Amino acid sequence: MTPATSRSMKIAAIVAIVFGALTVVSGGRALFGGADMGDVVPFVLWFNFGAGFAYAVAGFGLWRGAAWGRVLSLGILLATAAVFLAFLWHVLQGGAYELRTMGAMILRTAVWAAIAVIALRAA
């Protein structure tokens, strides 16, 4: 790895770990906090909560420069894109949803696309 690649991988790793922690906390509050979250889409909420743990693990792998961290990053991107597509299908079928879920899925997909590109370029 070049110094620039190493630096970008470290930044990607930190972003993944922080994003994972924030995702677990927010998902946990939505699932277990008892607050009325409006028209949540359960499969999206459960996926995002579980994925938050994977984000942190991927971040750890990226920090260490492990090949599995790069593979996991790509897997997270693909899984997130698949859930986003399923969510869009739900919306197009007239299913109830919160607008913030749309924004969150766009953000998650974009963040993991960036992390996966950085990770795979470092391979």
Side-chain angles (χ1 to χ4, degrees), residues 32-48:
F32 311 116
D36 179 21
M37 297 299 295
D39 291 321
V40 299
V41 180
F43 74 88
V44 174
L45 182 56
W46 278 102
F47 170 79
N48 287 335

Side-chain angles (χ1 to χ4, degrees), residues 1-86:
M1 262 190 260
T2 67
T5 302
S6 178
R7 183 176 32 237
S8 62
M9 281 284 281
K10 297 294 186 192
I11 292 168
I14 291 168
V15 168
I17 292 167
V18 170
F19 200 51
L22 292 172
T23 298
V24 169
V25 169
S26 67
R29 283 186 184 154
L31 288 168
F32 311 116
D36 179 21
M37 297 299 295
D39 291 321
V40 299
V41 180
F43 74 88
V44 174
L45 182 56
W46 278 102
F47 170 79
N48 287 335
F49 176 69
F53 295 99
Y55 297 174
V57 171
F60 177 72
L62 294 174
W63 184 267
R64 297 195 57 208
W68 61 262
R70 293 189 294 275
V71 173
L72 182 54
S73 295
L74 179 60
I76 289 169
L77 169 60
L78 296 174
T80 301
V83 169
F84 192 16
L85 287 172

Side-chain angles (χ1 to χ4, degrees), residues 12 33 68 74 76 101 111 115-116 121:
W68 61 262
L74 179 60
I76 289 169
T101 304
V111 166
I115 291 172
R121 283 188 178 166

